[in-house]
C-alpha cells in the first residue's frame, strides 16, 4: 500500500510538472505590431514562436516584456532567436536614453499617452475589457439605435440598472454595478437583444508603454490594445510596402500568361502602381478610381482582381518592363490626377515621371515608399 501511495504521489507530481510545462508552452509569445508580410495583422497574437516572413517583407513583433523585434524576410524560424536591429536600438536609445536598447520603457509614457485610465465602452458592442482599480469607465451612446434604452445586469451579484440614451451621449459607469471582474449583460428594452461586456481584472506590467500594449493584446482586450498598438506602431514602424508577384519577386512569364501582383502596406495608406516600359513610357495600373486608392493596413491586394477592369497578360513588348508602386501617407491623386482613372495601355504625359518625383520628395505629402518589380517575358 505504501508503495502504491508513493507511485501515485510520483505520478501526481509528474502530471503537475507536465501540466505546467504544457500551460507555459501554450502561452501567447508575441503580438504583431506591424507587418507587410501576408498572414500577419496588427494585434494578432502568436501562439507559436515559429514565423515565416517572405523575401522583401518584414514584420515587427512586440514581446510581453515590451521588447520590439523586427524580422526582415526571407526568414523562417523562431521569434526569440532574433536580436533587435540596429535601427531599433538607435531609436530606443534616442527616445529613451539609458534604457535597454531592445525595449521601450516607462519614461516614454508621456510621449505615447498609452497610460490613460479612461475607458470608453459602447454597450451595444460585445467586448472584453481590461480594468484596474484606477480605471474610469464611461459608457457612450450605443451605435445601434435599438439600444437607446438598455438594462445592465451584473452576473457577479445580479444587480440591474436601467439607462436611457435619448437625451445624453455619455454616462458614467453606474455605481449600483460592481466594477470588478465578471460579465455584464446588456439588454435592449426595445427589442430584447442582448450583448455581453466581459470585464477582466488586469494588473499592468508596469514596465512601460510597450509592455502595456502587449499586455492588453495578450489579455484579449482588443479594443484597448488596438489604440495602444497603433500609437506604438506609429513611433516604431514607419510606413512600408511589400510588392510581389504570383511568380515571386523576380518573375518570368511566357507570352499570354496572366500577371498577378501582390501588394500589402503595414498601415492605412494611399496606393498607386505604374507600368514603365522599356522606352521609359509610363502607364497607370492602379487605381482606376480615385476612391480605390485608399487601402487598409494589413489588407493584401491581388491585382488585377476586382480592382482592375482589365487583366494584365505577358506580352513580348513587356519584357524588361518595370512595375513601380507607391504607398503614401497622403493622397497624391489630388496633385497628380494622372495617377488615377487612366485607360489601359495609354501612356501618361511625358512630364508625369518628373511630376511624380517632385511629389515624392515634397515633405507636405508625408512619408512615401516605393517598390518595383521587373517583368521577364519569354516567347
Amino acid at each position: 500500500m505504501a508503495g502504491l501511495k508513493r507511485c501515485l504521489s510520483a505520478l501526481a507530481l509528474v502530471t503537475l510538472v507536465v501540466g505546467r510545462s504544457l500551460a507555459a508552452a501554450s502561452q501567447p509569445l508575441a503580438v504583431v505590431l506591424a507587418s507587410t508580410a501576408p498572414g500577419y495583422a496588427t494585434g494578432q497574437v502568436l501562439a507559436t514562436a515559429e514565423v515565416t516572413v517572405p523575401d522583401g517583407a518584414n514584420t515587427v513583433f512586440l514581446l510581453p516584456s515590451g521588447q520590439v523585434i523586427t524580422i526582415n524576410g526571407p526568414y523562417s524560424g523562431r521569434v526569440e532567436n532574433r536580436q533587435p536591429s540596429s535601427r531599433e536600438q538607435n531609436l530606443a536609445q534616442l527616445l529613451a536614453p539609458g534604457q535597454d536598447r531592445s525595449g521601450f520603457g516607462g519614461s516614454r509614457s508621456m510621449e505615447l499617452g498609452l497610460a490613460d485610465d479612461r475607458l470608453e465602452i459602447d454597450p451595444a458592442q460585445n467586448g472584453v475589457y481590461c480594468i484596474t482599480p484606477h480605471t474610469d469607465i464611461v459608457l457612450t451612446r450605443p451605435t445601434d439605435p435599438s439600444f437607446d434604452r438598455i438594462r445592465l445586469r451584473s452576473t457577479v451579484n445580479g444587480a440591474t440598472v436601467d439607462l436611457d440614451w435619448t437625451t445624453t451621449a455619455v454616462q458614467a459607469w453606474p455605481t449600483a454595478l460592481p466594477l470588478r471582474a465578471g460579465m455584464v449583460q446588456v439588454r435592449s428594452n426595445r427589442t430584447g437583444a442582448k450583448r455581453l461586456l466581459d470585464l477582466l481584472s488586469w494588473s499592468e506590467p508596469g514596465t512601460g508603454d510597450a509592455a502595456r500594449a502587449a499586455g492588453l493584446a495578450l489579455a484579449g482586450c482588443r479594443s484597448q490594445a488596438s489604440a495602444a498598438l497603433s500609437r506604438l506602431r506609429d513611433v516604431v514602424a514607419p510606413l512600408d510596402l511589400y510588392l510581389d508577384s504570383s511568380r515571386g519577386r523576380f518573375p518570368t512569364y511566357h507570352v499570354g500568361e496572366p500577371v498577378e501582383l501582390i501588394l500589402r502596406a503595414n498601415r492605412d495608406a494611399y496606393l498607386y502602381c505604374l507600368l514603365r516600359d522599356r522606352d521609359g513610357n509610363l502607364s497607370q495600373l492602379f487605381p482606376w478610381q480615385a476612391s480605390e486608392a485608399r487601402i487598409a493596413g494589413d489588407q493584401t491586394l491581388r491585382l488585377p482582381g476586382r480592382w482592375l477592369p482589365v487583366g494584365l497578360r505577358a506580352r513580348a513588348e513587356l519584357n524588361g518592363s518595370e512595375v513601380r508602386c507607391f504607398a503614401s501617407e497622403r493622397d497624391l491623386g489630388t496633385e497628380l490626377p494622372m495617377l488615377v482613372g487612366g485607360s489601359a495601355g495609354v501612356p501618361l504625359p511625358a512630364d508625369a515621371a518628373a511630376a511624380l518625383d517632385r511629389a515624392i520628395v515634397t515633405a507636405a505629402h508625408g512619408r512615401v515608399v516605393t517598390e518595383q518589380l521587373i517583368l521577364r517575358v519569354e516567347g
Side-chain angles (χ1 to χ4, degrees), residues 7 73 125 130 138 145 150 166 169 193 234 244 255 267 297-298 330 347 375:
C7 289
Q125 301 292 327
C130 293
V138 174
I150 61 176
T166 56
D234 291 346
D244 199 357
V255 172
R267 67 181 64 190
D298 301 325
R330 301 184 63 179
L375 302 179

Side-chain angles (χ1 to χ4, degrees), residues 26-295:
S26 64
Q27 289 297 312
L29 298 170
V31 180
V32 177
L33 188 59
S35 180
T36 59
Y40 297 104
T42 299
Q44 178 180 340
V45 175
L46 301 183
T48 174
E50 298 292 333
V51 298
T52 299
V53 180
D55 184 24
N58 66 76
T59 302
V60 182
F61 294 99
L62 178 62
L63 303 186
S65 64
Q67 182 182 0
V68 177
I69 297 178
T70 298
I71 295 182
N72 297 307
Y75 178 79
S76 182
R78 298 178 65 83
V79 174
E80 63 250 87
N81 289 342
R82 304 288 296 183
Q83 295 298 320
S85 67
S86 58
R87 176 184 171 278
E88 292 167 343
Q89 292 176 346
N90 293 337
L91 181 61
Q93 191 174 38
L94 174 65
L95 296 179
Q99 296 184 26
D100 183 346
R101 295 181 180 183
S102 64
F104 295 82
S107 67
R108 294 174 59 201
S109 295
M110 293 297 291
E111 177 187 354
L112 297 181
L114 302 186
D116 187 359
D117 288 321
R118 179 185 172 90
L119 174 57
E120 295 186 354
I121 295 179
D122 178 351
Q125 301 292 327
N126 293 317
V128 180
Y129 302 94
C130 293
I131 61 172
T132 72
H134 309 292
T135 302
D136 176 24
I137 295 183
V138 174
L139 299 175
T140 61
R141 185 193 300 276
T143 52
D144 184 342
S146 68
F147 280 78
D148 62 350
R149 292 186 177 89
I150 61 176
R151 169 165 292 185
L152 303 179
R153 184 178 68 84
S154 170
T155 61
V156 176
N157 64 357
T160 61
V161 174
D162 288 328
L163 298 179
D164 189 332
W165 296 93
T166 56
T167 60
T168 185
V170 177
Q171 298 191 49
W173 183 264
T175 57
L177 296 183
L179 189 53
R180 59 177 183 264
M183 293 283 192
V184 175
Q185 184 188 83
V186 182
R187 180 184 181 276
S188 167
N189 290 340
R190 289 186 181 274
T191 66
K194 297 178 181 178
R195 303 289 187 269
L196 279 179
L197 309 180
D198 188 1
L199 304 182
L200 298 182
S201 181
W202 184 63
S203 298
E204 294 190 39
T207 55
D209 292 331
R212 176 184 172 89
L216 289 170
L218 295 174
C221 302
R222 295 185 178 181
S223 61
Q224 293 162 276
S226 177
L229 291 171
S230 294
R231 280 183 266 181
L232 184 62
R233 178 201 61 196
D234 291 346
V235 172
V236 176
L239 175 65
D240 204 358
L241 177 66
Y242 171 66
L243 171 61
D244 199 357
S245 80
S246 56
R247 299 286 177 88
R249 287 171 54 79
F250 305 96
T252 298
Y253 298 90
H254 290 90
V255 172
E257 291 182 329
V259 178
E260 183 183 48
L261 304 177
I262 304 170
L263 298 109
R264 182 183 172 98
N266 62 352
R267 67 181 64 190
D268 294 355
Y270 293 90
L271 177 67
Y272 310 92
C273 289
L274 301 173
L275 179 66
R276 183 187 183 99
D277 65 21
R278 290 176 296 182
D279 296 326
N281 298 315
L282 294 175
S283 58
Q284 185 222 344
L285 283 178
F286 179 87
W288 286 78
Q289 296 183 25
S291 60
E292 295 176 343
R294 183 71 170 174
I295 63 170

Side-chain angles (χ1 to χ4, degrees), residues 330 332 335 355-368:
R330 301 184 63 179
L332 298 179
E335 181 179 337
L356 182 59
D357 289 339
R358 289 194 300 270
I360 290 176
V361 299
T362 301
H365 292 122
R367 181 175 174 84
V368 180

